Amino acid sequence: MAFHDPADLPPGDPTVLPADAVIAVDGPAGSGKSSTARALADRFGLLYIDTGAMYRALTQAALAAGIQPGDEAALAALLGPVNLELRPSRGETTVLWDGHDVSRSIRTPEVEAAVSRVSSHPEVRRLMVERQQALGRKGGVIMEGRDIGSVVFPLATAKIFLTATPEARARRRHLQFRERGVEVDPVALAAELADRDRQDSERATSPLVISPDAIVIDSSALSLEQQNDLCARACLVNPTLDAAIVNDPHSARVALPFQYRLAYGVMQTIARFYGLRVYGNRGLPVTPGCILAANHIALIDPILLGATFRRSRVFSLAKAELFQPAWPNGRFLRWLDSIPIRRKGYDRNAFGEAAAGLASGGNLLIFPEGTRQAIGHPGQVRSGLGILVQETRAPVLPMFLRGGYGRRCGGSLESPLEVWHGPLLRWHAVDDLLAQMDRRAVSERIGQLCRAAWCELQARSFANHPETPFEKELGQKQLRRFAARQAKLFGG
Ligand code: DC
């Protein structure tokens, strides 16, 4: 269900937007992203970054140098050493390519015709995404593009997917050209726009997709003012929900049953012994009713993660084999609210029990990769997380764990031991996605976002404490071992 009317969203209080907010605005060409992102930058005092202008600048430099839009290596070599600057100014951003102002020449029909091809190359995108992340990492930005919410900033404070019918978009683009004194054939323009949509959405690397946590806004029938107002409200939805969360560690402590107090005591002692550091939870307990989705690297993970929950009631899913024999293993795990799950196929009972736990205000800890992965390399997420999200719509807290592998008693210095709590992912776009694709594809998209969130938390952790030689070496060794095991199993 895309939003059409400003009254569909609560007005929100502009002061709830944090100073380090990152706002991601994605959508197809001509949907009005630039005008709106610029207006919101003014309204909230954010830095506006037009990532399309970066791909356009590369395209125009390539055309000028006689480089073919399909020549990935030459494009990457051209971009690598260049100083590409975006300077906010009134009206359009000033774009400087090695000091030369290219703001106008990147808006020509020639560049327009080649830019999708240029931006489809994985190496070009890798280099651009690196630059974009560096521009926005400190926050206080609004960034516009195609993959900002899904790839560049998977943990953005707010994600807006702005769309409009192809006719409305072609009409707007035609007007834009006319204002700049360029006359183009409207029919050819519409066809070219449709072709660009197709190329941007079908490319293998970071295609234009609706992130499942984005707020989708259809601007076809809106005036610019209405569109800006609706988008401004959309920016405030997550911060408003965050501000409304009541975190009362004291009452949580009183309400917990005996076994929890015991378990938390043990887990926190172990975590202290190993020197665990926690980031991103602001010292608060985890939000009631959300799914805690953690990467999995070692058997000790549940204990280290558990030490950071701060006395919430947490259900967990564990493979059914662990509950055998029923006494003492099964009884003990059930006592700690573990739910046995068959790892093959869809275990209706386990999912039902998990959903009931969430509905009662508890949390649910899962390891969505299904099994342990090589350190430093978060794995693909299985369908279980997407199924749970579709059935419960519970928000997901991505959690990234680092350093639990290869530690010795007393704590080794070979890797920092850290747990990172991400911001909550809320599933604003799941209904829109279900209207366009099947449940399996929606699960896949939810899984991709969760993995992107871990990668971002890992990048933050590495920015704080760089990856150690021990971690690098062990990660590589594990990757080789896993690949060999796969090859043996599947004969690849
Ligand atoms: O938003 P725009 O029309 O200026 O974008 C120009 C092209 O760049 C568009 O065809 C898709 C591409 N692009 C992209 O692939 N990823 C982005 N983040 C931004 C733009």
Side-chain angles (χ1 to χ4, degrees), residues 26 29 33-34 50-53 55-56 107 112 115-116 119 125 132 144-148 173 196 200 203:
D26 290 300
K33 300 186 299 294
S34 306
D50 173 3
T51 60
Y55 289 100
R56 284 169 180 267
R107 308 275 165 203
E112 192 107 335
V115 64
S116 277
S119 59
R125 298 205 72 84
Q132 292 154 6
E144 170 221 326
R146 301 293 188 285
D147 58 343
I148 310 303
R173 265 291 140 98
R196 202 135 73 86
D200 291 344
R203 65 169 175 244

